[in-house]
Structure formats: structure tokens, C-alpha cells
Amino acid sequence: MVDLRDLNRIAENEWEIPKSYRDDMNVSVRIIASEELIEEVTRDKSLDQAVNTACLPGLVGNVVVMPDMHQGYGFPIGGVAATRYPDGVISPGAIGYDINCGVRLMSTNMLHDEVKPFLSDLATELHRQCPSGVGVSGHLRLDKDEMRRLLREGSQWAKKEGYATGQDVRRTEEGGRLDGADPDKVSQRALNRGKSQVGTLGSGNHFLEVDLITKVFDEDAAEVMGLREGNVALQIHTGSRGFGHQVCTDYVQSFQSAANRYGIELPDRELVCAPMNTQDGKNYLAAMRCAANFAFANRQLLAYYSRR
């Protein structure tokens, strides 16, 4: 197991596990963390997972691990790695089970003092409008054709259906839609799990919260985003729900034999992968993009319900 003695400190909050740490490493590992966080993270297998990730073929630059690092499935959560396109590898476990998990931030012009008397009622209504919990269903019931449209179009689907404005789409990364999504590369089980979960928050660390802006650190950026001290804002944190989980599960299973087929030696079976320019890699990328579009549409629906 990696411990503090194996790390080189290269800046106040930056550390390195050099490529020489293990013979099978192709690149070094860089960690962005305070000394306190480093001591915490050595209690799980995050750093060992980062070292294993550094052994994958086709890596560009270093494996970098962010301050929120914790143990994941083969790949540390909070880890970032770039692989050379098109012959570098893609790993479903590295991308994770909650594909395109993200946060939507919505500013308001309402002062906290104006909202404070109504916070209890607001919380109740948000909970009613935005279903949460394990396996919970949403307000929509999509048929097969509509679900396939959503997977191809993401937030663009939400705009066409009246759940998003042009501004919503413009202010979402990639316009709320990844090109190259192909519903034919998604299992029927994934489709069945997803079609009733659009517009739901889920469980785990997902949240929908009303925040008070107490301090602005970058006034120019805050002004552009409409964020002002004393105002309230809304944050929505969720991803691709059971649909994305099933996509990852399906491809982790189908990739179990891929490493042998492509002559890839893995230090951990959870890092199963395939080169991006193979049919295996292309199929996964097409399915993964469907899940990313699902997550874009999901957060947009929750934004719509929150406004309502």
C-alpha cells in the first residue's frame, strides 16, 4: 500500500508518486491536497488505485488526483487521466457508474431575508416537485421512442418539449448534448430502468439545496452568473440515475475478456478497458454518450420543476 513515505512533496499542496515507484507504471501520479487530506486518504485504497491507473496503456501526461479523492471502482473517485485518441483505452469503471454526474447552479434575485419566512414551505414543495430516493420514479413516463430521442438529444430534447429555454441550453456544457450517442448500443434493461427516472434526484450524495451566498471571491465571475452576497441560489446535484448505472454494469461485464483480446495487462480487473478505436470501445462510447445526455436532460427537468 502507498504511504506517506512514498510521496514526493513538490509544492505546498501538490505531491507526486513518481513513475519509478513501480515498474509497470507508464506515468507519474500527481495529487492535489493539503497535508491533512493526504493523511486522511492513505486510510483507503485511493492512492493504490491511482498507481494502478498509471499502468494503463496510451496515457497522456500524469494521472492527477483532486482533493476530494476517495476509493472508487478500480479508479479513484476524484481522479483524472487522459488517454491518447484514438488508440488509447477507455475504461467503463474509470468513468464510473453515475455517468455525467454533475451540479446545476441556479441564481436568483431573492434576498435571504425575503425567503427566510417561507423556507419550510419551500423545502416541502421542492421535495414534492423533485422526487428523491432509491429507485424513485418521476412525473414523466416515456415510451420507447421518446426515450431514444432523449438519449440522442439530451437538453435539446427538454427544450423541444418545453422544459428548457434557449438560455438554459446555451449555459449547459456542450449545449446539454453529446454527439455520437446511439441508443442501439444500450441494453433493454438500461432503457427500462431509465424511462421512469427522468426528472428524479436519486439518493446517495445527490442533493437539491437552497443556498445563501455569504461571500463572493471573484466579483467579475459572480456578476456574470448573477450571484450576489445575501441572495439565495439553488444547487442540483445528480446524474444519470439507474440508466447510467446499468450502462456501466453492462460494459464492465462485456469488457471482462477485452483486455486479453487486445493484449492489455491489468493490475486490477476493475480497470477493464478497450482501445477507443476498436468496436468494443466505440460501442461503449456511444452508450456512455446516451447516459451523459440522460443526465443533462435529468438536471434540466429538475431545474424546470424547481422553477415551477
Side-chain angles (χ1 to χ4, degrees):
M1 246 182 110
V2 178
D3 65 32
L4 289 173
R5 292 169 296 181
D6 300 314
L7 274 59
N8 297 329
R9 191 170 197 164
I10 57 178
E12 182 181 0
N13 293 310
E14 190 171 354
W15 312 71
E16 182 184 59
I17 304 172
K19 181 180 171 182
S20 58
Y21 171 74
R22 221 168 71 188
D23 290 341
D24 54 350
M25 290 174 67
N26 293 316
V27 298
S28 299
V29 175
R30 290 287 179 94
I31 304 135
I32 312 300
S34 65
E35 190 166 344
E36 183 181 9
L37 284 173
I38 282 288
E39 291 174 357
E40 284 288 324
V41 82
T42 54
R43 297 175 186 175
D44 67 19
K45 295 181 179 179
S46 301
L47 296 182
D48 295 276
Q49 290 184 329
V51 168
N52 288 337
T53 301
C55 303
L56 292 174
L59 289 171
V60 178
N62 299 310
V63 171
V64 183
V65 191
M66 300 294 116
D68 65 336
M69 72 187 104
H70 53 287
Q71 187 174 333
Y73 184 85
F75 191 98
I77 295 169
V80 182
T83 59
R84 185 177 56 245
Y85 185 83
D87 56 329
V89 297
I90 188 84
S91 171
I95 289 178
Y97 283 84
D98 195 1
I99 296 166
N100 191 13
C101 182
V103 176
R104 171 70 61 92
L105 170 64
M106 301 168 68
S107 62
T108 81
N109 291 319
M110 295 181 289
L111 291 168
H112 177 247
D113 289 343
E114 296 174 318
V115 177
K116 190 175 180 179
F118 309 103
L119 282 175
S120 179
D121 290 341
L122 179 59
T124 299
E125 187 61 18
L126 283 170
H127 187 266
R128 190 177 74 83
Q129 293 280 353
C130 302
S132 63
V134 178
V136 71
S137 296
H139 303 299
L140 295 181
R141 294 292 185 276
L142 303 183
D143 62 25
K144 181 179 178 181
D145 291 341
E146 198 70 8
M147 180 67 174
R148 290 169 67 87
R149 271 190 59 216
L150 180 148
L151 298 179
R152 286 192 296 267
E153 299 174 9
S155 291
Q156 308 281 346
W157 170 87
K159 181 173 181 292
K160 291 174 185 176
E161 296 301 315
Y163 299 115
T165 66
Q167 186 180 80
D168 288 334
V169 172
R170 288 193 301 273
R171 293 186 175 184
T172 305
E173 57 271 41
E174 301 296 329
R177 176 183 182 269
L178 292 187
D179 291 332
D182 184 355
D184 289 339
K185 306 306 179 185
V186 172
S187 71
Q188 188 60 50
R189 178 163 173 74
L191 290 169
N192 289 340
R193 290 185 68 179
K195 63 186 181 182
S196 66
Q197 291 187 342
V198 186
T200 67
L201 199 62
S203 60
N205 67 344
H206 295 149
F207 61 79
L208 187 153
E209 65 181 28
V210 179
D211 294 320
L212 167 62
I213 302 169
T214 58
K215 185 168 180 60
V216 168
F217 294 90
D218 186 327
E219 292 185 3
D220 291 339
E223 184 62 29
V224 168
M225 291 185 279
L227 302 171
R228 299 177 181 87
E229 288 184 20
N231 283 11
V232 296
L234 192 76
Q235 287 194 85
I236 301 168
H237 171 215
T238 190
S240 48
R241 303 287 283 108
F243 178 82
H245 194 283
Q246 191 63 48
V247 167
C248 184
T249 298
D250 292 339
Y251 279 90
V252 164
Q253 291 173 354
S254 70
F255 275 26
Q256 289 299 323
S257 60
N260 289 335
R261 287 201 304 276
Y262 302 117
I264 299 171
E265 292 187 16
L266 296 174
D268 183 348
R269 284 177 58 84
E270 292 182 354
L271 287 171
V272 289
C273 58
M276 284 182 276
N277 60 358
T278 64
Q279 195 58 54
D280 287 306
K282 292 174 182 177
N283 288 348
Y284 171 69
L285 282 167
M288 182 270 288
R289 288 166 179 148
C290 286
N293 289 342
F294 183 102
F296 282 136
N298 189 34
R299 284 193 290 277
Q300 182 57 51
L301 261 291
L302 288 166
Y304 171 83
Y305 294 142
S306 297
R307 285 178 180 141
R308 190 166 68 175

